[in-house]
Amino acid sequence: MAEAESFIPFQGIKNDVKGRLRCYKHDWISGFKAGFRILAPTTYIFFASAIPVITFGEQLERDTDGKITAVQTLVSTALCGVIHSIIGGQPLLILGVAEPTVIMYTFMFNFAKNRQDLGSTLFLAWTGWVCLWTGILLFLLAVLGACSFINRFTRLAGELFGILIAMLFMQEAIRGIVDEFGVPGRTNPRSAEFQPAWVFANGMFGLVLSFGLLYTALKSRKARSWRFGAEWLRGFIADYGVPVMVVVWTCVSYIPWKSVPQGIPRRLVSPNPWSPGAYQNWTVIKEMLDVPVVYIILALVPASMIAVLYYFDHSVASQLAQQEDFNLRKPPSFHYDLLLLGFLTILCGLLGIPPSNGVIPQSPMHTKSLATLKHQLLRNKLVAAARKCIRNKATLGEVYGSMEEAYQQMQSPLIHQGPSRIQGLKQSHMQKGLGLVNADTLVDEAVFDVETEVENVLPVEVKEQRLSNFLQAMLVAGCVAAMPLIKRIPSSVLWGYFAYMAIESLPGNQFWERIVLLFTAPSRRFKVLEDNHAVFVETVPFKTMAMFTLFQTAYLLVCFGITWVPVAGVLFPLMIMFLVPVRQYVLPNFFKGAHLQDLDAAEYEEAPALLSFNLKPEGEVSRATSFADSGEVMDGMFTRSRGEIRRVNSIKLGGIGGGGSAGGSPAGGVELMRRVVSFQNPRVSEKVYIRSLSDYRGGGGGESSPRSPAGRAPLSPRFTASGGGGGEQRLSILGKSV
């Protein structure tokens, strides 16, 4: 879809519908083919979607005097989620009631209740008109192709917005924990649980529950890399550990129930769905004509603010969920999804419930969880195919041929975004690391580590389907009926989950990684090279990187400060949108174009790690350069929001079976490294990698390990070329000559 065509009325919607209809059937088939494994990402994203919505519903109940409760927010999230998963364009996009909606509804309630001819009685009827106007404005934006402006966002704006959302989630968590030490409104302060000693006890117990959930949830997500426990148990904990921890810490909250007053710790407050206060809003459409005409017209003001807010949030959430880094195969759908959001907003307004829109960080979290699922399915299929060939005494070429055939069987027949990411598994991987041996060589598992090789050749892909979104929305709907059980969850557990979501969204954000690098001791910065790292680490001077990061940080703080401004704070997306002209016209005056390209590349480019060559036996080197031992290559996926993970792939210094002279000499090792670098990342200077290997193979000083006590390894940024008088200086990892 050409960018110019998108601004033609209806052209963007037409292109979206045409593209998504071609893969609609496969969206469902692919989900059902995953079997029970689809439950892992479904459960993960269900909790990430439901818990904030329940919390926002409780907040709305306090701020609107019970006019809107958690029942309404859950119904809105479930209804919009089900409809979007069935007829929406991008099924990876998660819809839910977001905090900006809560702020706007609180503002509108305070405005309405102070008007005698409107009052709290007609509040929901008036919000119905607001939603009607909002829906019409969203229709216009979708028809005119306004989403094409969102597509011009670069990494600068997207990552800044991601950090801002994380800060808002953490702010909500901190605010909630602090409130545990106070007396909530609309309660009897003379009750036993609100006496000073018990209020303090409630706060301290809340801290235990919050930090307990936060710590165990973060640990459980890394269970596949644990050194203990059976593989199936580690996989189960990694897939379902976070929701299990919510249940576990809820059970822990009942341990002291006999020795404390009722109400400690505090739990969710919400009416049951069958109580009168929970369903009186369903007939609000009959009261809409009772709203005075002047307020119907004035409803256009908050509607304009909400339309701008939804246009930005929904589109950016969709962009982050389907960014190119995830190697998605199916077409995007920005314009049509915005059009559908207009219909959903009107529907919610007529039902008297707050509307839902695309949410962050749940949407990219959904995509990452499906990337893990796709990796597991591909890995199991390819490992089985390779082992079957090896049992039949197959050659190396036949093994890779069977793996490629198995890979193609797992692919969608509808490829919409260019050719397959794998142009022949055999050719690509042998070119990267196994070109030292003949394809006709007989192999067995003693010299050919099947799991390691499969991990190395698999690209990052996403299980693109509709089933997980549909199931999580249905589970949210089930929460409405299960409200008596949900009210048993301590509110402090929810604050811990908010903090977990904030922290989980940080790793992989290049902006966050640069902030961490600024606070890293200069003598330890070389450690960045020992893992996969961004290209700018090697090509951009540290001072330039620091200035760019400080600018981004200052802009972030300004945006965060705006969110504290009453009412107008919801328009902080305008500041994010303003980054588009700033990036295009202002920053080039302060930074070199090449540096901006690396710091703010539209498509992420990651350099492979500079390996610490300790001249280990080939089996150890192979394992050191793969994720096979951890059992979860996508463990890195949860720490990198960019989908593309590039690494040096199973370098056999000695070749399989001891053959291949190239791997047995310094010159051969250098040639191998040169081919690996040029294949994976042609933009990275080969000299950096070749020098590091030659230092170990033939360099002076006799240092065989970068961690040897004899001195600093060649990976240190302070190291200068040695070994015979060395002349050429090596580029440091931070782009400076040392």
Side-chain angles (χ1 to χ4, degrees):
M1 180 177 63
E3 190 72 26
E5 294 177 344
S6 302
F7 290 101
I8 301 175
F10 294 100
Q11 186 64 44
I13 298 175
K14 178 182 176 181
N15 292 339
D16 289 348
V17 173
K18 182 179 179 181
R20 294 306 307 192
L21 281 179
R22 294 170 57 192
C23 52
Y24 184 81
K25 180 180 179 181
H26 186 268
D27 284 342
W28 291 104
I29 295 176
S30 178
F32 283 106
K33 280 186 175 181
F36 72 93
R37 287 181 177 271
I38 199 68
L39 296 179
T42 297
T43 306
Y44 176 68
I45 205 62
F46 157 65
F47 273 81
S49 178
I51 288 181
V53 167
I54 293 171
T55 306
F56 293 147
E58 185 180 30
Q59 181 180 342
L60 275 173
E61 184 179 17
R62 295 194 305 267
D63 296 339
T64 63
D65 295 339
K67 291 294 182 180
I68 298 177
T69 67
V71 173
Q72 280 78 30
T73 56
L74 285 171
V75 169
S76 173
T77 301
L79 179 64
C80 295
V82 169
I83 294 176
H84 180 81
S85 65
I86 296 176
I87 64 174
Q90 179 50 259
L92 300 177
L93 180 63
I94 300 297
L95 271 62
V97 176
E99 185 174 16
T101 301
V102 176
I103 296 175
M104 284 302 305
Y105 265 68
T106 301
F107 159 71
M108 290 189 293
F109 178 78
N110 293 331
F111 174 83
K113 72 177 183 179
N114 295 325
R115 303 295 186 275
Q116 293 183 353
D117 47 352
L118 194 60
S120 59
T121 305
L122 293 177
F123 162 65
L124 292 177
W126 183 56
T127 59
W129 286 107
V130 173
C131 290
L132 181 61
W133 283 117
T134 302
I136 294 174
L137 294 175
L138 291 176
F139 292 159
L140 293 175
L141 290 172
V143 168
L144 298 177
C147 290
S148 298
F149 181 77
I150 294 294
N151 291 338
R152 294 179 177 178
F153 272 37
T154 61
R155 186 173 298 276
L156 170 70
E159 292 188 337
L160 188 147
F161 185 63
I163 294 289
L164 179 60
I165 294 299
M167 292 175 63
L168 293 177
F169 267 82
M170 185 61 72
Q171 172 187 264
E172 190 71 20
I174 295 174
R175 183 182 296 167
I177 293 175
V178 172
D179 289 343
E180 295 290 331
F181 287 90
V183 178
R186 296 195 300 165
T187 57
N188 182 9
R190 297 183 179 181
S191 299
E193 67 268 24
F194 297 132
Q195 299 307 306
W198 286 117
V199 169
F200 180 77
N202 175 81
M204 296 303 297
F205 195 20
L207 281 176
V208 173
L209 296 176
S210 298
F211 282 95
L213 174 73
L214 174 62
Y215 179 79
T216 54
L218 290 173
K219 285 295 184 181
S220 67
R221 291 302 291 168
K222 306 297 182 183
R224 283 190 175 89
S225 60
W226 291 354
R227 297 182 178 179
F228 52 86
E231 183 178 359
W232 68 267
L233 178 61
R234 288 184 280 114
F236 176 83
I237 295 176
D239 290 337
Y240 301 97
V242 176
V244 168
M245 288 302 106
V246 174
V247 176
V248 167
W249 287 101
T250 299
C251 294
V252 170
S253 69
Y254 280 96
I255 292 179
W257 67 277
K258 289 185 178 181
S259 56
V260 298
Q262 185 178 6
I264 295 179
R266 294 171 195 162
R267 305 183 188 274
L268 293 176
V269 178
S270 178
N272 293 321
W274 47 83
S275 61
Y279 58 80
Q280 64 181 1
N281 58 298
W282 305 121
T283 58
V284 70
I285 189 173
K286 298 187 299 184
E287 303 173 357
M288 289 181 63
L289 294 179
D290 296 336
V291 177
V293 176
V294 62
Y295 291 109
I296 295 177
I297 299 175
L298 286 177
L300 185 60
V301 176
S304 301
M305 300 173 65
I306 296 176
V308 172
L309 181 67
Y310 281 7
Y311 156 70
F312 179 85
D313 277 5
H314 196 75
S315 300
V316 171
S318 182
Q319 184 189 52
L320 294 179
Q322 55 188 331
Q323 54 188 310
E324 292 184 4
D325 296 344
F326 286 119
N327 293 337
L328 300 185
R329 301 299 184 87
K330 297 177 181 179
S333 179
F334 293 100
H335 309 275
Y336 170 71
D337 283 346
L338 188 63
L339 179 72
L340 179 62
L341 179 63
F343 284 106
L344 295 177
T345 301
I346 293 176
L347 176 62
C348 290
L350 297 180
L351 293 176
I353 57 179
S356 296
N357 65 286
V359 287
I360 301 173
Q362 291 90 331
S363 295
M365 287 171 64
H366 183 216
T367 305
K368 287 191 284 187
S369 66
L370 292 174
T372 297
L373 172 63
K374 183 64 176 286
H375 178 85
Q376 293 170 345
L377 296 174
L378 284 172
R379 178 180 179 272
N380 294 341
K381 183 79 171 179
L382 268 64
V383 168
R387 284 177 172 165
K388 181 179 179 180
C389 279
I390 292 176
R391 286 194 298 267
N392 295 333
K393 307 298 183 181
T395 64
L396 180 63
E398 291 172 342
V399 170
Y400 274 105
S402 66
M403 291 167 60
E404 182 173 7
E405 182 180 356
Y407 173 83
Q408 295 299 338
Q409 292 175 359
M410 295 285 290
Q411 296 307 301
S412 165
L414 302 170
I415 305 299
H416 298 285
Q417 292 187 347
S420 171
R421 296 300 196 275
I422 290 189
Q423 301 293 343
L425 283 173
K426 171 186 171 183
Q427 291 81 1
S428 65
H429 189 56
M430 290 183 67
Q431 182 181 2
K432 283 186 283 186
L434 292 176
L436 310 176
V437 298
N438 196 313
D440 295 329
T441 304
L442 292 176
V443 294
D444 56 47
E445 290 202 52
V447 295
F448 185 85
D449 191 336
V450 174
E451 293 188 359
T452 299
E453 303 306 330
V454 169
E455 295 281 3
N456 288 333
V457 299
L458 280 182
V460 174
E461 293 185 4
V462 176
K463 188 70 173 177
E464 299 179 67
Q465 40 72 51
R466 295 179 180 269
L467 187 59
S468 60
N469 200 342
F470 175 79
L471 291 178
Q472 71 86 22
M474 293 300 296
L475 289 175
V476 173
C479 290
V480 178
M483 187 58 69
L485 292 177
I486 292 177
K487 290 193 294 184
R488 296 181 179 273
I489 301 177
S491 56
S492 52
V493 169
L494 301 187
W495 307 135
Y497 195 87
F498 267 66
Y500 163 76
M501 292 183 64
I503 294 175
E504 184 74 358
S505 65
L506 291 180
N509 188 304
Q510 198 177 120
F511 177 26
W512 171 252
E513 292 175 354
R514 282 189 272 108
I515 293 177
V516 173
L517 189 58
L518 287 180
F519 290 93
T520 303
S523 61
R524 306 294 292 174
R525 288 174 189 156
F526 74 95
K527 285 288 185 180
V528 176
L529 276 181
E530 294 187 359
D531 194 5
N532 299 328
H533 51 275
V535 171
F536 74 82
V537 175
E538 299 169 5
T539 60
V540 180
F542 181 78
K543 182 178 180 181
T544 302
M545 184 274 293
M547 291 178 59
F548 186 84
T549 304
L550 291 176
F551 161 75
Q552 208 170 357
T553 303
Y555 204 96
L556 170 67
L557 295 178
V558 171
C559 294
F560 181 71
I562 291 177
T563 63
W564 285 69
V565 179
V567 184
V570 298
L571 293 181
F572 70 88
L574 293 178
M575 287 292 295
I576 307 296
M577 295 169 65
F578 185 64
L579 276 175
V580 174
V582 169
R583 168 64 177 85
Q584 187 172 357
Y585 301 108
V586 178
L587 292 185
N589 296 324
F590 298 93
F591 300 95
K592 294 181 179 179
H595 294 164
L596 279 178
Q597 178 62 27
D598 287 337
L599 289 168
D600 189 33
E603 181 178 357
Y604 185 78
E605 228 180 310
E606 192 171 62
L610 284 180
L611 297 180
S612 302
F613 285 92
N614 298 332
L615 302 184
K616 298 179 179 179
E618 64 183 57
E620 295 183 34
V621 175
S622 175
R623 288 183 174 274
T625 56
S626 73
F627 289 83
D629 284 340
S630 69
E632 173 61 295
V633 67
M634 295 312 295
D635 191 42
M637 190 67 203
F638 288 105
T639 60
R640 287 176 170 84
S641 60
R642 326 168 283 269
E644 189 172 1
I645 299 177
R646 300 183 180 180
R647 58 186 180 278
V648 177
N649 292 285
S650 185
I651 302 174
K652 307 286 189 180
L653 294 180
I656 293 181
S661 61
S665 66
V670 171
E671 174 62 19
L672 171 58
M673 179 62 82
R674 186 196 65 76
R675 286 189 281 111
V676 171
V677 173
S678 63
F679 182 88
Q680 294 199 106
N681 197 344
R683 295 186 58 200
V684 179
S685 172
E686 295 178 3
K687 148 173 81 173
V688 176
Y689 298 92
I690 295 174
R691 287 287 303 168
S692 66
L693 183 57
S694 61
D695 285 331
Y696 289 104
R697 290 290 192 179
E703 296 179 80
S704 61
S705 170
R707 293 182 175 85
S708 63
R712 186 176 300 277
L715 292 181
S716 169
R718 298 179 182 275
F719 180 83
T720 56
S722 63
E728 181 183 2
Q729 290 184 315
R730 178 175 177 247
L731 292 177
S732 82
I733 60 172
L734 300 177
K736 298 193 300 181
S737 181
V738 296

